[in-house]
Amino acid sequence: MKIRPFDKKIYLSSPTMHGEELEYVTEAYRTNWMSTVGENVNEVERIAAERADMKYAVALSCCTAALHLCVKLAGEKLYGRPRVACGALQGKHVFCSDMTFSATLNPVVYEGGIPVFIDTEAESWNMDPIALEKAFELYPDVQLVVCAELYGFPGRIDLIKKICEEHGALLIEDAAEAMGARLNGKQCGSFGDYSAISYNGNKIITGSAGGCLLTNNIDDANKARKWSTQARENAPWYQHEEIGYNYRMSNVVAGVVRGQYPHLEEHIAQKKAVYERYKEGLKNLPIRMNPITHGTEPNYWLSAFVIDKDAMCKQVRDDTKAFYISESGKTCPTEILETLAKYNVEGRPIWKPMHMQPLYRMHEFITRQGSGRAKTNAYIPVVEDVGADIFERGCCLPSDNKMTPEQQDIIIDIIRSCFD
Ligand SMILES: *Cc1c(COP(=O)(O)O)cnc(C)c1O
């Protein structure tokens, strides 16, 4: 192929600044609100809540911190305040998304909980409601579910919520990737009893870092805000009754976030155009783009696809390396990602499912068929493991909203060449 590598790297998803960000940051500097207090933080909380159709937002240093405080709020609501140095979920099982970033559920473990992973449905690439029902049959005592939306393409979070309600369980929604996406007209981030959004540098809008906890309960919002600022009691000195954290968002970071919010819809439109160009440009290849579930309006954060089973060349992955055997007419994610990298283009494998991670390999994993684990410590593949299959055959495509149509056409040619 006579394509030359790009001079400037094409990223998976990089920050896109507009100018207003700098004005709010400068304002913070000029007025000397260079701390975790100030107008930008207040405004981010107001705007974030409004955009997500939730009553309250708490601005924090990152989405992982937001998820941690979600887990603490849920844990205390369900099981009461723990003794000092004891997690709020000590020894409790929690149903968690399986094919997601580890930050979705690591906070469950920070609080002593035990994640039980729920398989993914092929139709949406998100948590499978049928597997979740199965999980409640097997573990009727579970009272908490943590569910993430994948790549900004919501699955059946409405059904997940309904199942939680039927079983008296609380729902934490990790909408880190799905800000601005909707299901039946309802904003992602508004389904959970507690939800979290992210302003990490590669998300749909960014503060360089940052996140918000979202809730409709004012007492919970106030509690999270107090915990995030070292849990000081109302007293003339530093008085403490509970464990605190240094999780508050900086007013400088908040300035960037505040300047980004007016551009959320614009970023979504650009990401949608990227997705649609891939769909068109790759249309007669043996692949399937990430699915758009009926009734959803994705934010199209990352475009991705799975390669049809019979178009996969042989690919083997161990814990740290991948190998494949090139074959005419066939390819695999490893070959595609290596080829893209050769041209200075960044792709990414699908999130490796949590039940396949060394960290969580011994945890229960539940599919539509039931328990995916024999009662041993080994990982024994189950009959149908949807997450493992999407991981094996899928990859995320460069989805930067600053990529031009001309650049994307070249990337499409590079991908097509892998199938030759
Ligand atoms: C990015 C991401 C997070 C973590 O967000 P931070 O703001 O970087 O802490 C959590 N969950 C998912 C699904 C993510 O994609």
Side-chain angles (χ1 to χ4, degrees), residues 32 79 105 116 133 173 208 216 227 272 310 333 335 406 408:
N32 205 36
Y79 308 113
L105 51 112
V116 168
E133 288 273 26
E173 180 188 7
S208 72
N216 283 321
W227 290 340
K272 182 175 184 184
D310 51 13
E335 182 174 39
E406 294 72 27
Q408 197 178 345

Side-chain angles (χ1 to χ4, degrees), residues 20 25 44 59 81 100 123 165 170 193 203 220 231-232 240 248 269 278 285 303 314 317 332-333 369:
E20 292 108 301
V25 169
V44 164
R81 186 185 289 186
T100 181
E123 298 78 10
E165 281 165 3
L170 293 177
D193 294 287
K203 297 293 174 5
D220 287 337
R232 291 172 60 183
H240 298 287
R248 193 72 167 139
Y278 277 129
L285 289 182
S303 293
K314 186 150 183 61
R317 286 163 163 164
C332 63
Q369 283 85 37

